[in-house]
Amino acid sequence: MTDAYFSNATVELLTASPPPQVSPELEQLAAFLAFAGPSSVGVVEPCDGVAGEICTVAGNGVADFTGDNVAATQTTISRPIELALTDWNGDRVVDLAIADWNNFRIRLVYLDVTTNGVEDAIVSLAGTGRITGADALDHPTDLAFAADGALLIAGWHHPNVYRYARGLANGADREQIAGLCDTNCDSDGSTRVDDTFLSLPVSIASHPDGRIFLAEAGCSRIRVLTVAGQRSVSSPMTCLFDINVFADTTIETLAGSSGVNGYAGDGGEASAAIFDIDNSYITPNFGIALSQDGDSPGEALFVADSRNHVVRRIDLSVNPPTIDRYVGIPETSGFVDGPADVALFNFPTGVYADTDGAVYVADTGNQAVRRIDQVGRVTTIAGTGIAGFNGDNRPATQARLNNPNGVVVHPDGRIFIADTNNNRIRVINP
């Protein structure tokens, strides 16, 4: 029997037959058609709900902000980059939170309920649409929810970490629990957070024990925050306004070497690991996710080592923590499904660890979402390898995505995707 694998964004049988040759002119035409039709702008097809098919649950393809308190498919979002699930208002219904990157906001969709007469209404939790002033966010790249329901935000161009108490309305009092409003990679080791700068904090994860894990893209390292002390008001010279801080909070480096890119460390202590991360101000990458399965969630941290084209796993259950390659071949890009030591990725950016032990990857360079099962086998679950938009209500593996960056899995099995450059949130029906 011949096995089928994904390779170079097409499905090929592993036989002796050579792949067909495609002219540059046809490649250019295919790239044009990926964007030209069917149009993704302003069009949302009603979701048929067929198992395995994909449809849109937020945004309509237009990069804009046209307001809140309407159905999520009747408004616009702009480069949504990450997602998280929560029960924000305590009604025991799961809500979908969105890092609406170019709108400088965190948005929330009240899934499966009617709010003030609107089904699946969308609201803003944080951010004002401006990059200066009170409650401003400048390209929030990731979000997480702590055990107490508090919203945590990784600020990108404002290199800070923010916290909002659960249920607070947008514009309510926020806490700045890390970062001093300026960029620097000098601080390392374990130090007080009020003496510590950050550089492009890009991904954030909340541990059940209260620790906050933070991927710092500008310095190619992963940090751990332990929040402590009484809240106080600080006026650092590098910030334009007073901030609420917990001065006894400590920050330490878990993995990565400050400002050093490469590949090293597998099989050893995480502190000796080296990642290869895009340190630019325009390409968020380097996603992290804590494990959720088993009796002790949070025992592992999964890392999208983006320019090394692999996903790595840090074992937090041992002291000191250790690191290993989880899937992919270091420094080798491609589009291949299969066992962990065969599968290939292309600039993975976002990761999500589900409660059943599976790990989902936004494989951005391959325009796909991949699933890693409990034994490490990789399967493509959405995307064709070609960037674009070709409509909804079709099998997810036949649907085109455009730079997907985030993925989360609902308890009922729905898989939500931040289809970033299509300015939509898509869902795969279970």
Side-chain angles (χ1 to χ4, degrees), residues 1 66 76 80-81 135 141 180 187 214-215 241 250-251 279 281 287 298 361 369:
M1 187 173 71
T66 51
T76 51
I81 202 160
D135 199 47
T141 46
L180 293 175
S187 56
L214 183 69
F241 41 83
T250 59
I251 185 168
N279 305 129
Y281 281 77
V361 182
V369 175

Side-chain angles (χ1 to χ4, degrees), residues 40 43 56 58 60-61 77 80 389 392 419 422-426:
S40 69
V43 177
T56 297
N60 63 7
I77 51 182
F389 182 83
D392 284 326
D419 194 357
N422 278 328
N423 302 300
R424 295 171 181 255
I425 307 302
R426 317 283 290 278

